[in-house]
Amino acid sequence: MPNIFDRPASATKNGRLLRVVELLHNEYTAWVILAISLCLTVVAYFVADSFVTRRVEDRFEFKVLELEKAIRNRALIYEQVLWGGVGLFNAKAGTVNRQAFARYVETLNINENWPGIQGVGFSVPLKASELAAHETQIRAEGFPDYSVKPAGERDEYSAIIYLEPFDWRNQRAFGFDMWSNETRREAMARARDTGRAATSSIITLVQETETNVQRGFLMYTPVYRDGAVPETLTQRREQFVGWVYAPFRAGNLMQGILPADDPEIEFELFDGVELKPESLLFDSNDSLHLDEANHQPDLSKVVRLELQGHPWTIYFNTPRNYLENLPEARQPAYIALAGTVVDLLLFYVIYAMYLTKKQMRLVGEDWRRVLEQAPNALIVIDRSGTIFSSNRQAEALFGYAQGELRGLLIDVVLPHGDPHLTRLFWEQNLSDASLHELGNRGLVARRKDGVCHSVDVGLNPLHVANGDYVVVSVVDTREWNRVRSELEGFNQQLQQKNEEMEQFIYTVSHDLKSPLVTIGGFASHLEKSLNGQLNEKQIHQLARIRANVDQMEGLLGDLLQLSRVIRQDVERERVLIEPLVQRVVDALEASMREAETE
């Protein structure tokens, strides 16, 4: 005999889906999801922190490259000023006088166009035997107090004869023998012997006064008699005429290299390859960070470069508390805080759903207990009137042992004048009139021992996947009054349970809605505040949060709708019981199947 409770494939899939839903909404799942979500929040924090750090490092590296290039280019551009002076001497075939040189420097307008250059000058080499004649010549040009300084006997001399602009500061260097100083002499000799521009080590310029003293350096370019640079060292020394040079004040030279409104980077410029205070040429922050024991910059980089044959070292670093003051540096903490809040709210929602389902399950069990206590005898028959199944109440009513009713015709226990009791039922298609007619016919129940007594019978259709059946409900009228009294008590219990369930659903649905609004608000706030700063993974995670919030709001809406339905007044009307029986059969399928196999 076929099993009337076999479900079609779609029902089986729905059952599997329900089991998955049950798995995702239980106490253990809530704790597991909380643990996983907290771990993901920690991972998200470190990923965001790494992303922010990398972005800051890249920005710092880019600024370092920009500043390095700017310093290198400025030195090379300023070098061209001196080569212009060399070109002047080459064009005049070595006959450049003081007026022509002054006009050339005046045309450069160095105070406006070339900050950092203290002046542009021309120095000549002298032998000891040429010193007296040289001083006499310069004095004859209108400088009666002129002399080469510092005084003293030396094998070789040099003398600055042109230095423009010829203001009071540069007049202090007029006639100065730069060859007498070892630092200057090294650069001068290198320029003369290589035919290239040469930069000196760090010096204090002769032009400096007692106020606003800056460290500086000098740049030299060589001038030769024939204009071109001779091929050999001997020829370069023999044909050497002098140096076009410029003294540089490092502070003025670096003016404008670093934008005044850029708070993200500082740098110190050192002479040579060692980072030490005595080698410091320029500090953009007016303080040597390397000499501050308590300052450990968040980011730093040392760059070494060679300009005009001389090594320079630049130490780039970030200001104090740089990372702490960056707006994006707080993003990982915000993500961690928001993620933790969302995790806890998600745990609360899932756990609350578990408690809701648990309470609803308890209410359902109360319903099942009430049904088990009902006195009705139930028999299921097929179209032929053969009994397919019965409950314990039916077996007790007709005096049969468990399973004995199965396979008997319904007429055996409910005799009637028609050949089959169910024929009228099938032919009249369960109309209200036919059901009513069958219930005013005065049916009797025949027990196994032959004793008969009057009963009330209810017939209800049962349509399942493999056919149509009839559920026959038999009530012993002798027990009707007793059962009615019991049912009244049961109804009171059910009413109380309904009120409890109504209050519970209404309270839970409202309590759950508030954290969902908070979750949605946090998600929207994060999306707006971090607009353009999120990666694809973070955008996906926010989208998942919003989707879950929408889903939960839909579920809570259903709960609220259910609570409204429960509060409405009951409208009584006659209905067919088949859909209710069908749902009961579906719900009890597993239990009945297990009983069938036993």
Side-chain angles (χ1 to χ4, degrees), residues 292-307:
E292 298 177 9
N294 296 326
H295 178 61
Q296 297 294 331
D298 296 316
L299 299 173
S300 64
K301 185 175 182 179
V302 175
V303 175
R304 291 184 170 85
L305 63 158
E306 184 175 293
L307 298 176

Side-chain angles (χ1 to χ4, degrees), residues 40-56:
L40 291 177
T41 299
V42 173
V43 172
Y45 169 80
F46 284 107
V47 169
D49 184 68
S50 176
F51 174 77
V52 170
T53 301
R54 182 58 183 170
R55 186 170 61 181
V56 172

Side-chain angles (χ1 to χ4, degrees), residues 87-339:
L88 175 67
F89 279 91
N90 291 339
K92 296 289 186 177
T95 59
V96 178
N97 57 30
R98 189 177 306 278
Q99 290 75 20
F101 190 83
R103 285 196 298 272
Y104 167 72
V105 176
E106 182 181 1
T107 302
L108 295 176
N109 193 13
I110 60 176
N111 290 333
E112 295 293 332
N113 299 328
W114 307 94
I117 295 182
Q118 184 63 34
V120 178
F122 180 64
S123 177
V124 296
L126 296 171
K127 297 180 180 179
S129 59
E130 300 171 333
L131 181 60
H134 169 77
E135 292 179 341
T136 300
Q137 176 186 347
I138 300 301
R139 289 170 184 169
E141 294 178 3
F143 303 98
D145 297 330
Y146 174 80
S147 63
V148 176
K149 49 185 181 291
E153 296 184 358
R154 297 182 288 276
D155 294 335
E156 294 180 302
Y157 296 83
S158 72
I160 300 174
I161 59 174
Y162 303 153
L163 184 55
E164 299 293 337
F166 200 56
D167 53 20
W168 66 272
R169 187 183 290 270
N170 282 334
Q171 288 177 15
R172 295 162 59 95
F174 185 44
F176 181 68
D177 178 10
M178 293 184 289
W179 192 265
S180 65
N181 178 265
E182 181 180 359
T183 299
R184 295 175 173 85
R185 183 168 61 249
E186 185 277 331
M188 296 169 75
R190 180 156 36 90
R192 178 197 64 188
D193 294 343
T194 62
R196 298 176 181 177
T199 298
S200 72
S201 299
I202 186 172
I203 61 169
T204 300
L205 301 176
V206 177
Q207 290 92 332
E208 292 291 348
T209 62
E210 295 180 355
T211 60
N212 190 26
V213 178
Q214 296 184 18
R215 293 182 174 182
F217 60 93
L218 298 113
M219 186 184 298
Y220 298 92
T221 53
V223 179
Y224 299 98
R225 278 196 297 270
D226 296 333
V229 178
E231 295 183 356
T232 66
L233 175 62
T234 301
Q235 292 172 339
R236 288 193 285 270
R237 289 182 175 179
E238 289 177 351
Q239 299 179 28
F240 182 71
V241 174
W243 298 269
V244 176
Y245 86 101
F248 290 87
R249 303 181 81 201
N252 293 345
L253 179 64
M254 294 295 108
Q255 179 180 345
I257 286 286
L258 182 65
D261 58 348
D262 189 346
E264 297 188 4
I265 192 169
E266 300 172 351
F267 73 94
E268 289 86 43
L269 179 64
F270 293 88
D271 175 60
V273 296
E274 296 186 16
L275 306 182
K276 50 186 180 181
E278 57 268 24
S279 301
L280 180 65
L281 272 170
F282 174 76
D283 184 354
S284 65
N285 195 28
D286 297 328
S287 62
L288 181 58
H289 288 163
L290 293 178
D291 196 34
E292 298 177 9
N294 296 326
H295 178 61
Q296 297 294 331
D298 296 316
L299 299 173
S300 64
K301 185 175 182 179
V302 175
V303 175
R304 291 184 170 85
L305 63 158
E306 184 175 293
L307 298 176
Q308 291 84 33
H310 186 74
W312 284 7
T313 301
I314 311 175
Y315 175 69
F316 297 96
N317 61 273
T318 52
R320 287 182 179 275
N321 305 320
Y322 171 67
L323 290 179
E324 296 179 7
N325 297 327
L326 287 178
E328 58 264 43
R330 303 184 182 94
Q331 292 177 7
Y334 292 155
I335 291 175
L337 177 60

